[in-house]
């Protein structure tokens, strides 16, 4: 029995490129497709999760939203890797700095992704799994950032299950050098590891947990555009 369409993606493997960019927001996926891709076509809209495939500099690239949080990212990335023959997923999203050395509007790349999630329990490991990105994607991305003249910081992210953290413990992760908090990378990295596929998270610092600083709508748009361009330039080199 075929595994597609799924309850979440009404498409076939031929509809997707081998590399998929995944912002959290469906409208941002639409913006990327309309702004950067040539001949972009809508390939999925189930539950309002817009997915598009087009070309960037002649290379097929897809972009589809992941939704918010690890459960949502886990569903979409699992299906893309295992049912739709996608090889590479690059998350492009926002994050909140929890490190005094990481400033608002900085671009950060998750070499690893700590988490408070119990997502890894499904694997029955009897220990703690350390979710990490794919080295080839990381190296390609950092090399590309240098070529584009974009400053990036590489290190650990913290993937939290809670956006509103009642314990106030989020900032403690910064004491161990963790750069920023977001909500999807750890699940993406674990799904990629299990499927023997590739994953990378590139995030823009949109606010600072320690100082309360935040970007305006216009500033977020400009910074997000740099992140999108970095991800697209990386994608065409894979």
């Amino acid at each position: 029995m075929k595994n597609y369409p799924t309850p979440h993606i009404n498409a076939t493997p031929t509809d997707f490129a081998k590399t998929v960019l995944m912002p959290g927001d469906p409208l941002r996926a639409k913006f990327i497709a309309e702004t950067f891709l040539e001949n972009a076509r809508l390939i999925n809209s189930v539950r309002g999760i817009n997915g598009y495939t087009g070309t960037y500099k002649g290379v097929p690239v897809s972009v589809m939203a992941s939704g918010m949080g690890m459960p949502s990212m886990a569903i979409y990335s699992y299906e893309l890797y295992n049912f739709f023959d996608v090889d590479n997923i690059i998350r492009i999203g926002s994050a909140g700095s929890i490190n005094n050395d990481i400033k608002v509007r900085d671009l950060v790349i998750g070499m690893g992704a700590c988490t408070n999630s119990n997502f890894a329990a499904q694997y029955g490991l009897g220990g703690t799994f350390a979710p990490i990105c794919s080295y080839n994607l990381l190296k390609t991305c950092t090399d590309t950032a240098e070529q584009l003249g974009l400053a990036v910081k590489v290190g650990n992210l913290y993937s939290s299950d809670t956006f509103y953290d009642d314990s106030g413990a989020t900032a403690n992760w910064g004491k161990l050098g963790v750069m920023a908090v977001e909500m999807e990378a750890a699940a993406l990295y674990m799904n990629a590891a299990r499927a023997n596929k590739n994953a990378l998270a590139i995030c823009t610092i949109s606010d600072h947990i320690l100082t309360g600083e935040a970007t305006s709508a216009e500033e977020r748009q400009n910074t997000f555009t740099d992140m999108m361009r970095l991800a697209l330039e990386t994608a065409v080199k894979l």
Side-chain angles (χ1 to χ4, degrees):
M1 185 175 66
K2 67 180 182 180
N3 291 316
Y4 57 86
T6 71
H8 314 99
I9 304 174
N10 185 20
T12 69
T14 58
D15 289 319
F16 283 97
K18 290 299 183 181
T19 299
V20 179
L21 275 55
M22 298 199 79
D25 184 357
L27 292 179
R28 195 160 295 280
K30 182 176 185 287
F31 174 83
I32 294 169
E34 293 179 347
T35 305
F36 294 101
L37 299 185
E38 295 182 357
N39 302 314
R41 61 189 180 92
L42 182 70
I43 58 174
N44 184 66
S45 60
V46 177
R47 294 173 176 256
I49 296 294
N50 296 339
Y52 304 84
T53 294
T55 60
Y56 182 76
K57 295 187 174 180
V59 178
V61 178
S62 296
V63 55
M64 190 175 83
S66 69
M68 290 187 290
M70 279 177 274
S72 186
M73 168 60 86
I75 289 170
Y76 290 109
S77 60
Y78 184 95
E79 293 183 1
L80 290 174
Y81 284 138
N82 293 285
F83 302 154
F84 294 95
D85 296 334
V86 169
D87 290 334
N88 313 297
I89 295 177
I90 302 176
R91 161 165 158 67
I92 46 175
S94 61
S97 175
I98 52 175
N99 191 304
N100 286 322
D101 294 329
I102 308 295
K103 309 301 182 183
V104 169
R105 290 178 292 275
D106 281 353
L107 290 177
V108 297
I109 302 175
M111 182 165 54
C114 309
T115 185
N116 62 357
S117 170
N118 201 36
F119 189 85
Q122 65 181 301
Y123 303 121
L125 299 173
T128 301
F129 180 78
I132 60 172
C133 72
S134 303
Y135 176 74
N136 181 56
L137 286 188
L138 176 62
K139 186 175 189 308
T140 302
C141 186
T142 54
D143 288 348
T144 300
E146 183 175 359
Q147 293 163 7
L148 294 174
L150 294 173
V152 297
K153 299 184 187 301
V154 180
N156 239 335
L157 298 174
Y158 168 47
S159 299
S160 177
D161 269 343
T162 50
F163 185 87
Y164 298 104
D165 179 16
D166 195 59
S167 73
T170 296
N172 290 338
W173 292 88
K175 298 174 182 177
L176 292 173
V178 176
M179 300 185 297
V181 57
E182 52 84 69
M183 301 187 72
E184 290 83 23
L188 173 62
Y189 288 4
M190 283 188 261
N191 272 352
R194 182 66 181 88
N196 195 28
K197 298 294 182 76
N198 305 301
L200 184 68
I202 309 170
C203 293
T204 300
I205 299 299
S206 58
D207 60 286
H208 205 296
I209 305 301
L210 305 181
T211 68
E213 183 184 1
T215 55
S216 68
E218 182 179 358
E219 289 170 330
R220 290 187 187 210
Q221 186 64 68
N222 292 336
T223 305
F224 273 50
T225 301
D226 284 343
M227 178 177 60
M228 295 171 194
R229 189 161 55 97
L230 175 58
L232 287 162
E233 293 289 342
T234 300
V236 299
K237 296 176 181 177
L238 300 176

